[in-house]
Amino acid sequence: MKRILDLALVLAALPAAVPVALLCMAAIRLTSPGPAILSQTRVGRHETPFTCYKLRTMHADTPDAPTHETPSRAVTPLGRWLRRLKLDELPQLWNVLRGDMSLVGPRPCLPSQAELVAERRARGLYALRPGITGVAQVAGVDMSDPKRLAALDATYLASMSAATDLRLILATVWGAGRGDRTRA
């Protein structure tokens, strides 16, 4: 049922999302050298690595590290705006279509985030597809606190339902509309 809901919502969103993503990509290319799309290896379902896509919000020469370990000066002015509105996540709709991700679930982490990988493994969270948004993002918890993040992600595992997914998606969109930063 979760996969069907993901596909239905993504297919419904694509007619609006694609033109917005293309405009954002053009703006990135015009304001900062480098590719518009960032592709990064992340830890997926069953701890299988996958390529996660995002609109690039940092300077192209920024080292591959978790956001909380990257200096804020690495984020471009346009990137700050894209993050605040969560537009940087639009390419992940492709990850959802491919089946690498879900709309809702634990945010995918980098393989180098060993403590977070271990905390999620201990709680059985790798049974889930990673999500574009989730409980931790809506709560404003970032990946700098692996134990707290994994504990919040585990609350989602315990209460997963279509209603929970819709509530978290709406909370994420509502937060983006207000300019809140509620993503990890």
Side-chain angles (χ1 to χ4, degrees):
M1 182 66 179
K2 182 171 177 55
R3 181 77 179 132
I4 292 168
L5 179 63
D6 280 345
L7 290 173
L9 290 174
V10 168
L11 291 173
L14 280 179
V18 169
V20 171
L22 290 172
L23 286 171
C24 291
M25 290 169 63
I28 291 167
R29 295 285 295 149
L30 289 170
T31 61
S32 173
I37 300 283
L38 169 74
S39 58
Q40 205 173 43
T41 300
R42 300 284 181 105
V43 181
R45 187 176 190 192
H46 306 301
E47 294 187 56
T48 303
F50 74 100
T51 302
C52 183
Y53 300 100
K54 295 181 71 153
L55 292 175
R56 184 175 54 81
T57 60
M58 296 188 197
H59 296 285
D61 60 351
T62 303
D64 196 18
T67 300
H68 66 276
E69 294 177 9
T70 306
S72 61
R73 69 181 177 278
V75 180
T76 66
L78 177 62
R80 282 183 189 77
W81 182 78
L82 293 171
R83 286 178 172 200
R84 187 175 64 240
L85 295 177
K86 297 180 183 39
L87 295 173
D88 60 322
E89 311 291 355
L90 285 174
Q92 289 173 25
L93 295 176
W94 175 248
N95 287 113
V96 174
L97 284 175
R98 288 177 36 99
D100 297 326
M101 293 179 69
S102 178
L103 290 172
V104 179
R107 283 294 298 152
C109 64
L110 296 168
S112 63
Q113 293 176 279
E115 185 180 355
L116 180 55
V117 171
E119 290 291 335
R120 286 178 168 171
R121 183 184 302 127
R123 290 171 172 82
L125 292 168
Y126 287 111
L128 300 173
R129 282 184 179 91
I132 294 175
T133 192
V135 175
Q137 289 68 44
V138 171
V141 176
D142 70 18
M143 290 188 172
S144 65
D145 188 347
K147 287 183 182 177
R148 184 170 177 221
L149 180 64
L152 278 171
D153 290 338
T155 66
Y156 174 71
L157 181 60
S159 65
M160 271 181 24
S161 69
T164 299
D165 282 9
L166 290 173
R167 182 182 58 78
L168 290 168
I169 291 166
L170 290 173
T172 300
V173 171
W174 175 253
R178 292 189 342 250
D180 291 353
R181 175 139 172 107
T182 58
R183 66 179 201 107

